[in-house]
Amino acid sequence: AQSVAQPEDQVNVAEGNPLTVKCTYSVSGNPYLFWYVQYPNRGLQFLLKYITGDNLVKGSYGFEAEFNKSQTSFHLKKPSALVSDSALYFCAVRGSSSNTGKLIFGQGTTLQVKP
Amino acid sequence: DTAVSQTPKYLVTQMGNDKSIKCEQNLGHDTMYWYKQDSKKFLKIMFSYNNKELIINETVPNRFSPKSPDKAHLNLHINSLELGDSAVYFCASSQYIPGGNTEAFFGQGTRLTVV
């Protein structure tokens, strides 16, 4: 069965500091991994994805994510957080054996960046 | 132009009523989805259509019935609404590729409140 875990309900960082939002996954076949951001009362916006190749993936708004196969992790990172990054972040996975396109989401992590 | 649009954005209705939520995408995608986000922000897939064919039908009460008149539209009809149906419903679309490495694009969500 496919699953995604985001072990932290909330992450607090000071503006200008680096941030990490954690994600681990379990999937059959090769994983396709995604990060989405949800601002209050808005839909989900795609940030970045890992398909294959380089383990460090760069995405929108200065975010990047590191794929680690041995640890089955795909942590979201940003070198310098902004107050405007405060939002709800979702990690999602789809196995390469999927024939439906279904994304499995983690439970979400609220990122709070304080000035 | 909005890529995935849902109407209405807010829906307040009484228990027992029947309501519909409409979704349209102008991305040319062949696969559309309905996700439900509960009060704890957890996202769970409900249905998916590929080229107007139902390919995902998760464990959802049969009071919920999706309808896809064409590839660009996926509507959700809910009969006999219950208090527990209160949630945010998201429509999404993606282009299906065998192996599934494409991201999904989400609408703004419909906040359904049953009173």
Side-chain angles (χ1 to χ4, degrees), chain B residues 25-59:
Chain B
Q25 55 96 3
N26 62 6
L27 297 166
H29 290 162
D30 60 2
T31 305
M32 296 185 72
Y33 313 83
W34 278 110
Y35 281 84
K36 179 180 180 180
Q37 186 173 45
D38 63 23
S39 58
K40 295 184 178 178
K41 307 293 186 184
F42 188 69
L43 276 162
K44 192 170 192 300
I45 192 162
M46 300 172 69
F47 302 103
S48 177
Y49 271 75
N50 174 263
N51 284 317
K52 301 192 298 174
E53 182 183 343
L54 182 65
I55 57 171
I56 295 175
N57 186 354
E58 296 288 300
T59 309

Side-chain angles (χ1 to χ4, degrees), chain A residues 32 34 36 38 41-44 46 49 51 88 90 94-96 98-103 105-107, chain B residues 9 31 33 35 37 40-43 45 48 55-56 58 90 96 99-104 106-108 111:
Chain A
Y32 298 129
F34 305 81
Y36 285 84
Q38 185 179 18
N41 299 315
R42 302 289 297 276
L44 278 73
F46 169 72
K49 67 181 177 184
I51 301 171
L88 181 58
F90 288 97
R94 182 192 291 138
S96 61
S98 168
N99 60 358
T100 63
K102 172 173 141 180
L103 280 173
F105 283 88
Q107 63 266 50
Chain B
K9 190 171 180 180
T31 305
Y33 313 83
Y35 281 84
Q37 186 173 45
K40 295 184 178 178
K41 307 293 186 184
F42 188 69
L43 276 162
I45 192 162
S48 177
I55 57 171
I56 295 175
E58 296 288 300
F90 286 103
Y96 176 71
N101 61 13
T102 54
E103 61 271 28
F106 284 76
Q108 295 292 312
R111 183 175 294 276

Side-chain angles (χ1 to χ4, degrees), chain A residues 54-99:
Chain A
D54 285 344
N55 290 341
L56 187 64
V57 178
K58 293 191 184 297
S60 307
Y61 313 121
F63 283 93
E64 55 192 28
E66 187 168 12
F67 172 66
N68 187 316
K69 187 173 183 178
S70 62
Q71 296 185 2
T72 61
S73 67
F74 188 55
H75 300 332
L76 182 71
K77 301 182 180 188
K78 188 172 183 182
S80 178
L82 300 172
V83 172
S84 57
D85 292 330
S86 298
L88 181 58
Y89 290 81
F90 288 97
C91 181
V93 70
R94 182 192 291 138
S96 61
S97 57
S98 168
N99 60 358

Side-chain angles (χ1 to χ4, degrees), chain A residues 2 13 16 20-21 25-27 32 42 53 72 76 81 88 98 112:
Chain A
Q2 299 178 127
V13 297
T20 298
V21 182
Y25 66 90
S26 172
V27 71
Y32 298 129
R42 302 289 297 276
T72 61
L76 182 71
L88 181 58
S98 168
Q112 193 76 254

